[in-house]
Amino acid sequence: MDPVMSPAADPASGGLTTGAVARLLGVAPTTLRSWDRRYGIGPATREGGRHRRWTGEDIAALRDMCRLTSAGLPPAEAARTVLAGTSRDAPQPRSGRASRAPGPLPLGRARRECRGLARAAVRLDAPAMDELLTAVLDRYGLPAAWDEVMMPTLHAVGRKWETAGERYIEVEHLLSWHVSGALRAFSAARPSAQGAGGTGVSLLACVPGETHTLALEALAATLAQQAVPVRMFGAALPAGALEEAVRRTGPAAVVLWAQSRSTASRSLVARVAAIEWGVRGARRRPVVLVAGPGWAGEPPPGARYPAGLADAVDVLATLGAR
């Protein structure tokens, strides 16, 4: 068993460190320290009088704090409830009104990191999300962090507000913002050459009317990390602007993202695939990849439909090397 997963771990030290408990519960270490300092939800003992060491009883109190804050109670009120020993009998805010907080997300048998990220998102705990996202990117890298942690959590958040009458959309917006920021920071921390147009560049864009960009941001970050030249045009690029960008850059490939069938335009794919450049007798055309659930089923003729982020990276790296 992972030592971080068991409150009984490391008995010789008298308990777990704050960092270990944070990983166990999916809470930022700064949040745990804040709960200790502000509300008295802290360890009974400290190593050398300074360093926090959390026992099984301490961790049980923290679990109650996480449960109550996720159910909508303010941290101060949740702490009073936990310290009074009545947390399991008080799942609602003191006002008596039903909580509008989303509660647990439908993650199934997901990774432990997904559950931690989901709990932080539900609590709108921005510091915890940032720390968890940085940790999974450093530990797994891209695209594994995207495929196994970020994307499953985003899908769970989306399912939650869809099945709840589009309530709690603030959770999805905040999580999306922090995922986007983590991807950009990860890419910026690992700079690579970005070639000029015509040197195997990949052009990434959402089709007109499409605003979901995170999957393309993950692809752009991965390509940049692997020194594959990329141009990311983001959300809802107008068709005319897309065609002009293809003519100006002469890309090896164009990736078009569509989240829904209503935005997946097969005629746009055909127009982009037909654009030519270069000298007479040696003209070239881009390879078009379609990505996203909007293209599910039969992809447009001549277009490639990568199976996932890793597959798209492999295809684009190969095309860019030609």
Side-chain angles (χ1 to χ4, degrees):
M1 177 181 289
D2 186 338
V4 173
M5 295 298 290
S6 172
D10 197 13
S13 67
L16 296 181
T17 65
T18 298
V21 174
R23 292 190 295 272
L24 173 63
L25 300 180
V27 178
T30 52
T31 298
L32 298 184
R33 297 185 186 103
S34 175
W35 286 352
D36 182 10
R37 184 176 64 256
R38 295 182 180 182
Y39 312 121
I41 303 294
T45 62
R46 297 174 187 268
E47 186 181 55
R50 295 182 299 106
H51 299 293
R52 294 171 177 86
R53 285 290 180 176
W54 303 79
T55 66
E57 185 177 349
D58 298 329
I59 294 170
L62 289 176
R63 289 186 188 279
D64 284 339
M65 275 290 291
C66 291
R67 180 175 60 84
L68 291 171
T69 54
S70 293
L73 267 73
E77 184 173 344
R80 286 193 295 270
T81 302
V82 171
L83 292 173
T86 59
S87 61
R88 300 190 183 279
D89 300 320
Q92 299 296 335
R94 184 168 50 187
S95 66
R97 294 175 296 179
S99 170
R100 295 181 59 84
L105 296 176
L107 279 162
R109 297 177 61 85
R111 278 186 176 272
R112 174 167 53 89
E113 293 91 344
C114 292
R115 299 186 182 282
L117 184 58
R119 285 194 291 267
V122 166
R123 294 193 305 271
L124 304 182
D125 189 338
M129 282 189 283
D130 286 340
E131 290 196 26
L132 289 164
L133 289 166
T134 299
V136 296
L137 284 166
D138 289 341
R139 181 174 183 180
Y140 301 117
L142 277 167
W146 170 259
D147 286 334
E148 299 178 24
V149 179
M150 298 179 184
M151 184 171 62
T153 308
L154 287 161
H155 284 174
V157 171
R159 289 193 299 271
K160 184 68 179 181
W161 69 256
E162 285 176 355
T163 58
E166 297 198 0
R167 292 164 58 198
Y168 322 129
I169 195 170
E170 73 282 357
V171 176
E172 183 185 36
H173 277 235
L174 188 67
L175 177 60
S176 297
W177 174 261
H178 284 270
V179 168
S180 177
L183 291 171
R184 288 175 178 269
F186 185 79
S187 177
R190 295 157 178 79
S192 58
Q194 291 292 296
T199 58
V201 68
S202 295
L203 188 156
L204 316 182
C206 292
V207 298
E210 184 55 70
T211 60
H212 293 77
T213 65
L214 281 179
L216 282 189
E217 291 180 48
L219 177 56
T222 309
L223 292 173
Q225 182 191 8
Q226 298 189 14
V228 178
V230 59
R231 299 291 181 273
M232 169 63 168
F233 287 85
L237 185 65
L242 171 63
E243 294 172 31
E244 181 62 20
V246 173
R247 294 188 185 94
R248 291 181 59 186
T249 61
V254 177
V255 182
L256 299 178
W257 177 271
Q259 184 76 12
S260 66
R261 291 182 181 276
S262 63
T263 60
S265 170
R266 299 169 74 89
S267 62
L268 177 62
V269 172
R271 294 202 304 275
V272 171
I275 297 174
E276 294 184 333
W277 61 85
V279 298
R280 187 180 300 277
R283 293 188 178 277
R284 299 180 59 191
R285 295 181 179 181
V287 175
V288 179
L289 283 70
V290 292
W295 306 103
E298 184 178 353
R304 302 191 187 186
Y305 188 59
L309 179 56
D311 186 26
V313 171
D314 289 343
V315 171
L316 294 173
T318 300
L319 292 171
R322 290 181 179 177

